[in-house]
Amino acid sequence: MYEHHDAVLHSVREGVLIVDDDGVLLLANDEACRLLGLPSDAERHRVSDLGLQPATVEILTSGRAVTDQVVRPRERLLAVDVRLVGEPSAGSGGTVSTLRDTTELRTVAGRAEVARGRLDLLYQAGSRVGTTLDVVRTAEELAAVAVPRFADFATVELLEPVLRGEEPRGTKLEMRRAATAGIHDDHPLHPVGELFASLRPALSPPGHRRAGQSSGPI
């Protein structure tokens, strides 16, 4: 029975530590040793002598119960629970601590937050872009949504016939800057209303900076 319980203790994916009321480590399972970087002969040594960070030592030896206390040993984020056992007043107390690695959980939570932010952006774009049938106003709304979420500065160019409510025709087309947006007004962009020449089927839009400055399209 002892061998069975010992095998289970050392195979679980949660660190388990038993510390007596003198701060001596009585038991550390394999997962606890891995998470804390403890040597194989750590048992029967004081926790304060095992090279752990002071904050971790304090939690494991303070003699008080804690729940989901976060410590960061060895570039990991560990959630620590400590429970009191025995009778401290009778000199037979101690603690049982469990450790859970939340590093990957925090990473997943961060990704979920990014995805939530993107969904929020899509919602805002859907509610703010296309509020009128005016094509110039729609261009202004589109530029405003892009800044500062995607860029410091953004512009929208429209084909000249589109601005007049017509279908683009021919091989040589002209584009006019319909809207700009930036994190500040003093931006390095050509002004609204400027006309550009574009030959179909060119794929690259016109440059976005004045002569002497270079930048990729936004």
Side-chain angles (χ1 to χ4, degrees):
M1 183 67 69
Y2 171 81
E3 291 178 354
H4 170 73
H5 283 77
D6 188 60
V8 171
L9 179 67
H10 287 282
S11 64
V12 295
R13 300 302 295 174
E14 186 172 86
V16 179
L17 299 168
I18 298 178
V19 180
D20 69 14
D21 53 3
D22 290 325
V24 175
L25 180 63
L26 302 181
L27 181 144
N29 72 345
D30 293 345
E31 183 68 358
C33 291
R34 184 184 74 84
L35 294 175
L36 295 175
L38 300 177
S40 57
D41 60 347
E43 294 177 359
R44 304 299 172 182
H45 289 79
R46 288 186 177 278
V47 175
S48 58
D49 296 333
L50 297 175
L52 300 175
Q53 294 177 338
T56 304
V57 173
E58 196 277 330
I59 291 174
L60 297 177
T61 61
S62 66
R64 56 183 173 81
V66 299
T67 300
D68 287 338
Q69 183 75 45
V70 177
V71 297
R72 194 186 182 99
R74 308 179 68 226
E75 301 304 318
R76 291 182 178 274
L77 292 172
L78 305 182
V80 181
D81 290 335
V82 179
R83 295 294 176 263
L84 307 183
V85 296
E87 297 292 338
S89 59
S92 59
T95 60
V96 175
S97 303
T98 57
L99 313 171
R100 301 187 310 280
D101 190 350
T102 65
T103 307
E104 293 184 0
L105 181 61
R106 294 295 179 94
T107 301
V108 172
R111 292 172 181 169
E113 181 64 20
V114 170
R116 188 202 64 78
R118 290 173 176 170
L119 287 174
D120 182 61
L121 176 59
L122 288 174
Y123 171 79
Q124 291 188 39
S127 62
R128 294 173 57 183
V129 177
T131 58
T132 73
L133 296 178
D134 183 85
V135 67
V136 174
R137 178 56 184 164
T138 300
E140 293 171 346
E141 292 169 344
L142 182 60
V145 167
V147 176
R149 297 169 182 85
F150 290 117
D152 292 339
F153 302 96
T155 69
V156 178
E157 284 78 45
L158 296 175
L159 293 171
E160 188 71 8
V162 173
L163 285 168
R164 299 193 299 267
E166 303 171 1
E167 290 291 329
R169 300 181 185 280
T171 58
K172 186 174 182 178
L173 302 172
E174 291 181 322
M175 300 182 70
R176 189 175 297 276
R177 179 148 293 167
T180 64
I183 55 175
H184 52 73
D185 294 334
D186 184 22
H187 56 68
L189 306 171
H190 292 293
V192 171
E194 187 155 335
L195 195 64
F196 303 94
S198 177
L199 295 176
R200 187 184 288 179
L203 299 179
S204 299
H208 287 73
R209 294 180 183 260
R210 298 189 181 98
Q213 296 178 313
S214 61
S215 172
I218 299 177

